[in-house]
C-alpha cells in the first residue's frame, strides 16, 4: 500500500502494522520520542492500545535501532494531507488528471505532479508517450 501522504516515519509504521494502528499510535503518542522494548509485555501500553501482535512487530522493528528513541509524528494534519490522500485514491482508481481535478476542485497540474511523485506517470491516460 502506498502511504506517501503520511509523514515518512508514520508511513513506515503503517507498512509494519497497518494504517489504522499507525494513525492510532500518532493519535495517542504523536509528537513524542519513544523507546521500544525488545519484548512487548501484556501490561505495556503499546500492547493495550494496538494488540500484542502489532506491538511486538513494532518492537521488533524499532528495538533494533540500539536504544535510539523514535520520533512519532503527529500524523496527517490539515487539509493538505487529506487532499493528497484523496488524490492518491482517485489516481489508484485510474481516473484522469482532469477528472480528479474536477471532482476535488484542484488543478490538473497538481494532480499530474502528485502522480509523478507516486511513480505512476506512465499510467496517466492524459499523456502520450514521448519515447
Amino acid at each position: 500500500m502506498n502511504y506517501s501522504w503520511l509523514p515518512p516515519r508514520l508511513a513506515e509504521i503503517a507498512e509494519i502494522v497497518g494504517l489504522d494502528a499507525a494513525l492510532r499510535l500518532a493519535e495517542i503518542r504523536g509528537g513524542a520520542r519513544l523507546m521500544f522494548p525488545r519484548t512487548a509485555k501484556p501490561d505495556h501500553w503499546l500492547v493495550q492500545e494496538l494488540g500484542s501482535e502489532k506491538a511486538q512487530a513494532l518492537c521488533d522493528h524499532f528495538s533494533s535501532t540500539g536504544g535510539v528513541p523514535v520520533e512519532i509524528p503527529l500524523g496527517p494534519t490539515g487539509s493538505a494531507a487529506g487532499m493528497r490522500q484523496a488524490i492518491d485514491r482517485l489516481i489508484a482508481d485510474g481516473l484522469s488528471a482532469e477528472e480528479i481535478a474536477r471532482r476535488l476542485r484542484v488543478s490538473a497540474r497538481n494532480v499530474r505532479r502528485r502522480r509523478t511523485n507516486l511513480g505512476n506517470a506512465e499510467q496517466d491516460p492524459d499523456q502520450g508517450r514521448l519515447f
Side-chain angles (χ1 to χ4, degrees):
M1 185 75 156
N2 189 325
Y3 299 113
S4 62
W5 53 276
L6 291 172
R9 176 67 73 187
L10 199 55
E12 177 184 2
I13 292 168
E15 289 291 337
I16 297 165
V17 295
L19 180 60
D20 291 339
L23 293 176
R24 178 71 182 136
L25 184 59
E27 178 185 330
I28 59 174
R29 296 291 171 114
R33 298 174 92 193
L34 302 179
M35 297 290 290
F36 288 86
R38 292 198 190 283
T39 303
K41 296 181 180 174
D43 61 341
H44 194 274
W45 68 267
L46 194 57
V47 173
Q48 294 172 356
E49 291 293 339
L50 304 181
S52 60
E53 279 186 37
K54 291 178 181 182
Q56 189 58 52
L58 287 174
C59 289
D60 290 343
H61 183 76
F62 289 117
S63 67
S64 66
T65 61
V68 176
V70 177
E71 296 275 347
I72 304 299
L74 293 172
T77 58
S79 60
M83 184 58 70
R84 284 191 302 271
Q85 182 179 16
I87 291 170
D88 292 355
R89 284 184 180 151
L90 294 175
I91 287 171
D93 289 345
L95 274 67
S96 71
E98 280 68 26
E99 179 61 25
I100 294 170
R102 277 192 296 277
R103 286 188 185 192
L104 299 179
R105 300 184 51 79
V106 297
S107 73
R109 179 176 184 230
N110 187 24
V111 175
R112 286 189 295 273
R113 185 178 313 132
R114 185 75 190 145
R115 181 174 284 151
T116 299
N117 289 342
L118 291 172
N120 294 325
E122 68 277 357
Q123 296 176 8
D124 189 344
D126 299 332
Q127 299 293 315
R129 296 194 59 88
L130 185 58
F131 298 101

